[in-house]
Amino acid sequence: MIENQTFTNLNQQSKWMKQYAGCTFSNCLLPDVNFSHIIFEDCRFDNCNLSNVKLGDTSFKNVTFNDCKMIGLQLSDCKTFLLEMHFANCQLDYCSFDSLNLKHSSFQSCSLIEADFSSADLSKVVFNNCELLRATFAQTTLKSTDFRSASNYSFDPEINTIDKAKFALPNVLGLLSKYNITIQH
């Protein structure tokens, strides 16, 4: 196990250990790297490119991603035990969070274009200043989820659990898109 180390400028040829605790990864270019079966606990990724990283049974336990490019990740392939991820200023377009329990995760100023949250539990998650254009919410638990500062979300409230979810005008109108109606201001 590697503990409390800082790694800078790692690339696709870098060798990976099986477990990292309290480590920081900064300015790393890691697209398409295989993170399968690696455990990251209390780690940070700052200004890294992690697009299309392979995540088979990867553990993210209280991991923070800041200013990272993470396009096309299959986060639903991660281990779910103690899963906790925090994203700030990240590009998470085309990522799959399918069936994950994300109750202890956070999203701050992220792009989540066409992200898939089908069957995920997003209870009490705050999408603070997030772009959700064409994101998929189907059979998703959205109890007390906060969409007030999110933009461009559109989903069917009848096939999702939205008890006590928070919305704001004008973006709340995305909940009516399935009805193909015209709304005037």
Side-chain angles (χ1 to χ4, degrees), residues 35-52:
F35 278 0
S36 295
H37 307 288
I38 297 177
I39 299 168
F40 296 97
E41 187 171 355
D42 299 319
C43 292
R44 294 177 54 94
F45 288 84
D46 296 319
N47 195 36
C48 294
N49 182 343
L50 302 167
S51 294
N52 297 311

Side-chain angles (χ1 to χ4, degrees), residues 2-5 19-25 39-45 59-64 82 84 86:
I2 306 292
E3 294 183 277
N4 304 314
Q5 299 279 330
Q19 188 169 1
Y20 296 87
C23 294
T24 299
F25 301 87
I39 299 168
F40 296 97
E41 187 171 355
D42 299 319
C43 292
R44 294 177 54 94
F45 288 84
S59 292
F60 288 123
K61 301 174 182 178
N62 190 32
V63 176
T64 301
L82 298 176
E84 182 177 347
H86 304 280

Side-chain angles (χ1 to χ4, degrees), residues 112-113 117 127 130-135 137 147 150-153:
L112 291 148
I113 295 171
F117 293 101
F127 286 105
C130 290
E131 171 63 54
L132 293 165
L133 184 67
R134 294 185 304 276
F137 297 90
F147 290 96
S151 59
N152 295 313
Y153 55 85

Side-chain angles (χ1 to χ4, degrees), residues 36-183:
S36 295
H37 307 288
I38 297 177
I39 299 168
F40 296 97
E41 187 171 355
D42 299 319
C43 292
R44 294 177 54 94
F45 288 84
D46 296 319
N47 195 36
C48 294
N49 182 343
L50 302 167
S51 294
N52 297 311
V53 166
K54 310 300 180 270
L55 297 172
D57 287 327
T58 305
S59 292
F60 288 123
K61 301 174 182 178
N62 190 32
V63 176
T64 301
F65 300 92
N66 295 303
D67 301 304
C68 291
K69 184 177 181 180
M70 305 172 73
I71 296 172
L73 296 185
Q74 295 298 312
L75 290 151
S76 53
D77 292 342
C78 291
K79 281 195 175 184
T80 58
F81 183 69
L82 298 176
L83 178 71
E84 182 177 347
M85 300 174 289
H86 304 280
F87 305 95
N89 302 305
C90 290
Q91 187 175 4
L92 293 156
D93 301 340
Y94 312 106
C95 287
S96 175
F97 298 89
D98 182 53
S99 301
L100 290 179
N101 180 341
L102 298 169
K103 287 193 269 191
H104 302 289
S105 297
S106 61
F107 298 89
Q108 169 72 41
S109 299
C110 292
S111 176
L112 291 148
I113 295 171
E114 293 193 34
D116 183 2
F117 293 101
S118 298
S119 301
D121 187 344
L122 298 167
S123 298
K124 298 183 181 178
V125 167
V126 177
F127 286 105
N128 193 357
N129 196 34
C130 290
E131 171 63 54
L132 293 165
L133 184 67
R134 294 185 304 276
T136 301
F137 297 90
Q139 307 302 321
T140 307
T141 302
L142 301 167
K143 292 181 180 179
S144 299
T145 304
D146 191 338
F147 290 96
R148 289 180 292 182
S149 64
S151 59
N152 295 313
Y153 55 85
S154 176
F155 59 85
D156 184 348
E158 294 176 19
I159 63 167
N160 295 285
T161 305
I162 63 168
D163 299 347
K164 298 183 182 176
K166 299 173 182 89
F167 304 97
L169 288 169
N171 287 303
V172 70
L173 299 176
L175 301 183
L176 301 174
S177 62
K178 81 171 204 166
Y179 297 110
N180 195 25
I181 59 176
T182 302
I183 300 170

